[in-house]
Amino acid sequence: MKMIKKMKSKRSFIVLASLVLALAVSAAGCSSGKTANTAGTPDGDQAAGGTQANEEAPFPISVMMRSFNNDMITSQSTIWKQTEEYTNTKLSISFTPDAGYLDKMNITLASGSMPMVMFAPNVKISSIANAIKSGAFWEVGPYLKDYPNLSQMNPTILNNISTEGKVYGLYTSRALGRLGVSYRKDWLDNVGLTEPKTIDDFYNMLKAFTNNDPDKDGKNDTYGMVVTKYAGPWDMMQTWFGVPNQWGVGGDGKLVKAEFTPEYMEALKFFKKLYDEKLVNPDFAVYDSAKWNDPIINDQAGVAVDVADRSYQIEEAMKTAKPDTTASIDLFGAVSGPTGLHNLPTTGYGGVFLISKSSVKTEADLKKVLSFFDKIEDKDMQILISYGIEGKHYKVEDGKMIPILLNTDPQPANINIKSFNQLLIGVPDVLTTAFKPATPLRGKVQEVQEANLDIV
């Protein structure tokens, strides 16, 4: 009997041990199959793209944002794919040309069918302000401190985008002294003038660009300045006359709106003079801002008043379109008016990314969206999204970033860069020091923006 009991006891132990081992193997099998992208990978190996087998599947993020060119990047771009891999996301981006963006934004807000992330040019726009007050978007301010890049956002600019003291979005950083006047330097030389210093000089340049055959083709087919439906150039030029930035202080010491100042009326008279004399394109009120550079590149217009960096964008686009061109672009910040030198400051941001509560339902998912924006602000990612891939879209020589023109990967480099880079918020600012200026004009842009800080 004792022998039988010992045999039964030993058999029970073996069965129990076998059961424990089977459960352990089963648990290990379940653990190794947590995510769909690990299928077919050996134990301990990495899944495709360098993702560990036990990491989460890519997090889907939908974004609606504006673009400033007509050809859009697609998900087949190498830059797009590398961004998804680095951030472990699956992106769905709806691009809308800048000229029609406000209409599309308002329609989307009214529809109630929101993307996870929506770009807004300004949180003060009534439709956006109302949506924020109604609770449509997440308050992100308390979370920013938890992210290495987002935590470096400028408190003054955060205050500029705040609503009742709370921050509901991620601003896209812009230089405070960013604005300037880009012009055809070869045209100025051809008409025998020097860079304008005063408002009268500026007018004389536009007049010569219109009437004095600046491109030397023997035809009367040019005009001075190209302006679009975007009102920014007029806002900038009116400061030359001493018009305050939205509000000023009147002679009685009280606040006065810019439009009610005598300087504003003088600026309007000047603008009407430019229009009446056909020194600007007559269709400016409906002209698409996505086509802003075209008349200058195509030898139709000679001046654009906008951000200083438009100057090198035009120059490099000209060289792409016409590799043998002898045309040249130059830049200055402002011209002097009745009360000296003035320029319009920016708000420090070019727009705000808002995160929808209806599409991003949990705090955990909110943090994943914030993590995406934080990760693409890493230095290497800012460079990738802004300039492309080294060796394919640009090369580095003597510390300078040199664009490689007419490259395809599988899309032209300018398509990869000009729309996709609108995702970046530019915090921290690493691009201004990442490389030496690639061209003299790029270096001058930095100089003009720095000098503007004394006159904005």
Side-chain angles (χ1 to χ4, degrees):
M1 287 293 294
K2 288 182 179 180
M3 180 64 68
I4 293 174
K5 286 181 180 180
K6 285 182 179 181
M7 291 177 63
K8 285 183 178 180
S9 176
K10 185 175 182 180
R11 188 181 301 115
S12 298
F13 174 79
I14 292 172
V15 171
L16 180 61
S18 300
L19 180 60
V20 170
L21 181 61
L23 288 172
V25 171
S26 175
C30 291
S31 176
S32 66
K34 278 185 180 179
T35 58
N37 64 358
T38 62
T41 59
D43 290 347
D45 283 357
Q46 291 185 335
T51 303
Q52 292 291 341
N54 61 351
E55 283 188 357
E56 296 180 358
F59 181 68
I61 297 179
S62 58
V63 183
M64 181 180 124
M65 66 185 195
R66 63 184 178 179
S67 67
F68 293 92
N69 61 312
N70 294 323
D71 294 319
M72 307 303 176
I73 190 173
T74 73
S75 59
Q76 297 307 304
S77 162
T78 305
I79 295 173
W80 182 305
K81 291 177 179 178
Q82 288 192 9
T83 300
E84 288 182 327
E85 180 180 355
Y86 187 83
T87 59
N88 196 31
T89 57
K90 185 66 176 176
L91 297 175
S92 173
I93 301 178
S94 172
F95 291 106
T96 300
D98 178 58
Y101 189 79
L102 284 178
D103 291 339
K104 176 69 177 294
M105 182 188 75
N106 288 329
I107 291 171
T108 302
L109 284 170
S111 73
S113 179
M114 296 280 289
M116 298 170 73
V117 179
M118 171 183 280
F119 176 85
N122 196 312
V123 294
K124 311 303 181 185
I125 297 171
S126 58
S127 56
I128 292 293
N130 291 335
I132 288 174
K133 291 177 181 178
S134 68
F137 300 108
W138 282 91
E139 180 192 354
V140 301
Y143 299 93
L144 300 181
K145 66 181 185 305
D146 300 327
Y147 300 89
N149 293 320
L150 301 184
S151 62
Q152 298 181 57
M153 285 189 155
N154 186 306
T156 299
I157 303 175
L158 287 174
N159 182 64
N160 286 346
I161 68 165
S162 66
T163 300
E164 297 179 353
K166 297 181 179 180
V167 175
Y168 289 88
L170 306 175
Y171 67 76
T172 55
S173 181
R174 297 293 184 268
L176 285 171
R178 193 184 181 200
L179 305 180
V181 180
S182 305
Y183 67 94
R184 285 284 296 263
K185 178 64 167 61
D186 56 317
W187 280 19
L188 196 68
D189 293 339
N190 287 344
V191 298
L193 296 176
T194 58
E195 186 171 277
K197 301 299 181 185
T198 67
I199 293 174
D200 287 342
D201 292 342
F202 180 74
Y203 164 77
N204 290 331
M205 177 175 70
L206 298 187
K207 191 170 183 178
F209 282 2
T210 303
N211 300 323
N212 295 2
D213 191 22
D215 59 349
K216 300 301 181 184
D217 67 352
K219 300 176 182 178
N220 183 20
D221 57 358
T222 61
Y223 56 94
M225 175 170 58
V226 57
V227 189
T228 75
K229 64 190 297 184
Y230 167 58
W234 309 111
D235 295 338
M236 176 181 166
M237 289 186 289
Q238 72 189 25
T239 66
W240 301 347
F241 291 83
V243 178
N245 178 16
Q246 300 188 45
W247 291 87
V249 180
D252 57 0
K254 295 182 179 179
L255 285 175
V256 58
K257 197 78 171 74
E259 290 82 358
F260 296 132
T261 62
E263 293 86 357
Y264 186 80
M265 180 57 71
E266 292 305 310
L268 287 185
K269 291 177 182 178
F270 179 73
F271 298 158
K272 185 176 187 299
K273 183 179 179 181
L274 301 184
Y275 180 80
D276 289 345
E277 297 184 15
K278 298 181 173 55
L279 307 187
V280 301
N281 51 308
D283 62 345
F284 73 87
V286 295
Y287 193 79
D288 186 353
S289 57
K291 301 177 182 178
W292 201 334
N293 297 342
D294 294 354
I296 301 178
I297 295 170
N298 297 328
D299 300 324
Q300 295 170 302
V303 174
V305 177
D306 187 39
V307 294
D309 27 317
R310 184 169 292 280
S311 61
Y312 67 71
Q313 294 171 8
I314 295 171
E315 181 180 69
E316 290 164 17
M318 289 175 71
K319 290 180 179 179
T320 300
K322 309 170 186 177
D324 298 326
T325 185
T326 58
S328 59
I329 303 294
D330 210 339
L331 169 74
F332 59 88
V335 292
S336 182
T339 58
L341 273 172
H342 304 290
N343 207 338
L344 187 71
T346 73
T347 57
Y349 68 96
V352 179
F353 284 108
L354 302 165
I355 302 173
S356 167
K357 278 191 170 181
S358 63
S359 299
V360 180
K361 297 182 182 299
T362 66
E363 184 182 46
D365 284 350
L366 168 66
K367 291 180 177 180
K368 291 179 181 179
V369 175
L370 292 174
S371 178
F372 165 77
F373 279 98
D374 185 72
K375 287 178 179 178
I376 63 174
E377 296 306 312
D378 287 348
K379 181 177 179 179
D380 288 347
M381 289 303 295
Q382 285 198 45
I383 292 172
L384 172 73
I385 295 173
S386 297
Y387 303 129
I389 301 167
E390 184 175 358
K392 293 183 177 180
H393 300 124
Y394 71 91
K395 56 185 176 181
V396 180
E397 295 179 355
D398 188 30
K400 298 178 180 180
M401 190 278 296
I402 310 295
I404 299 175
L405 304 177
L406 302 176
N407 185 272
T408 56
D409 185 46
Q411 299 176 206
N414 66 320
I415 297 177
N416 281 308
I417 294 167
K418 284 186 180 178
S419 49
F420 202 56
N421 69 349
Q422 298 301 312
L423 271 175
L424 292 174
I425 62 175
V427 179
D429 177 15
V430 299
L431 296 181
T432 56
T433 57
F435 305 102
K436 296 178 182 178
T439 66
L441 191 54
R442 282 180 176 260
K444 190 166 185 178
V445 167
Q446 295 180 21
E447 294 172 6
V448 167
Q449 290 180 346
E450 185 68 23
N452 276 340
L453 295 177
D454 293 331
I455 63 172
V456 295

